[in-house]
Amino acid sequence: MFRGKQTRVLLLNDMERLECTLFRLEQVHLGFELQFHLGPTLQGKSVHVHTNYPAPGKKFVSSSFRQLEWVNPSGREDDSDKYCKLDLEIAGSYQYYFGCGHEERTGGGFIVVDPVLRIGHERKILPLDCITVQTYLAKCLGPLDEWLDRLRVAKETGYNMIHFTPLQKLGASRSCYSIADQLELNPDFSPPGKNNTWMDVGNLTEKIKKEWNMLCITDVVFNHTDP
């Protein structure tokens, strides 16, 4: 059975400020369309809607907003069925706001688009609520060539995701999150006479993803710097 894009509707109401509320939108494999409709308090007003979700072909910049165009499918003069839309295909957290006439902002909020995670050669979807994560201190794993033997424990015990502490070169304190160079791979991951690269890390994680049906993630704290 063919399944097209799903459509979600977000109703806008005057003075409704939802900056502390996240609208979580579960992603589907074809993406979905989010439609902004006018609530009763906004119909008949000149409403403009803005978002920092990037336009097709553009990169996401959190401070860059664009105005959405209204679609009026019936062509009627009233506002009962007009809407503006977003084709959401990129996972992430985004902001929207709207104003009336010369008022720039009279309401707004945030939307979160969940990612679609795929594993194995068949690229089966791993639901977000089924993730089980094992954390490894990357600095303790030794040379990259030895990682698979050490990570196999997580695979055999049923985990489907591995979390690594930062893989970058560490500072003098040797703290897992204290980084000396944000772009350089930790030299401890290379055995004598070899210089492993980020490409080697990518090849390893891709092997784990396809052959072990496991995903790998890592995180950094960019203001934790230690020369």
Side-chain angles (χ1 to χ4, degrees), residues 12 36 47-51 66-68 70 84 96-98:
L12 305 178
F36 296 93
V47 180
H48 42 90
V49 182
H50 305 257
T51 181
R66 61 189 175 97
Q67 183 173 341
L68 301 179
W70 289 104
C84 51
Y96 71 91
Y97 70 85
F98 60 91

Side-chain angles (χ1 to χ4, degrees), residues 27 53 88-94 112-116:
Q27 180 69 282
Y53 184 85
L88 297 174
E89 299 178 344
I90 306 173
S93 177
Y94 306 100
V112 176
V113 183
D114 288 342
V116 176

Side-chain angles (χ1 to χ4, degrees), residues 143-191:
L144 199 62
D145 298 344
E146 302 175 6
W147 282 25
L148 284 180
D149 290 336
R150 298 189 171 111
L151 300 176
R152 191 175 297 276
V153 176
K155 172 182 179 293
E156 300 299 335
T157 49
Y159 290 95
N160 53 32
M161 182 176 286
I162 296 174
H163 166 243
F164 298 107
T165 55
L167 306 177
Q168 288 91 338
K169 179 180 179 180
L170 299 179
S173 69
R174 300 292 296 168
S175 171
C176 288
Y177 282 86
S178 186
I179 298 174
D181 190 323
Q182 306 286 357
L183 302 179
E184 183 180 347
L185 185 66
N186 190 332
D188 294 344
F189 301 157
S190 300

Side-chain angles (χ1 to χ4, degrees), residues 21-56:
T21 302
L22 290 177
F23 292 95
R24 180 180 176 184
L25 302 171
E26 184 179 350
Q27 180 69 282
V28 293
H29 70 287
L30 291 176
F32 59 87
E33 179 179 285
L34 175 63
Q35 295 183 358
F36 296 93
H37 286 248
L38 297 177
T41 58
L42 289 175
Q43 291 191 20
K45 297 181 180 180
S46 178
V47 180
H48 42 90
V49 182
H50 305 257
T51 181
N52 61 359
Y53 184 85

Side-chain angles (χ1 to χ4, degrees), residues 95-118:
Q95 186 177 1
Y96 71 91
Y97 70 85
F98 60 91
C100 297
H102 297 295
E103 295 182 83
E104 182 180 1
R105 298 191 184 210
T106 57
F110 292 86
I111 55 176
V112 176
V113 183
D114 288 342
V116 176
L117 305 180
R118 298 181 181 274

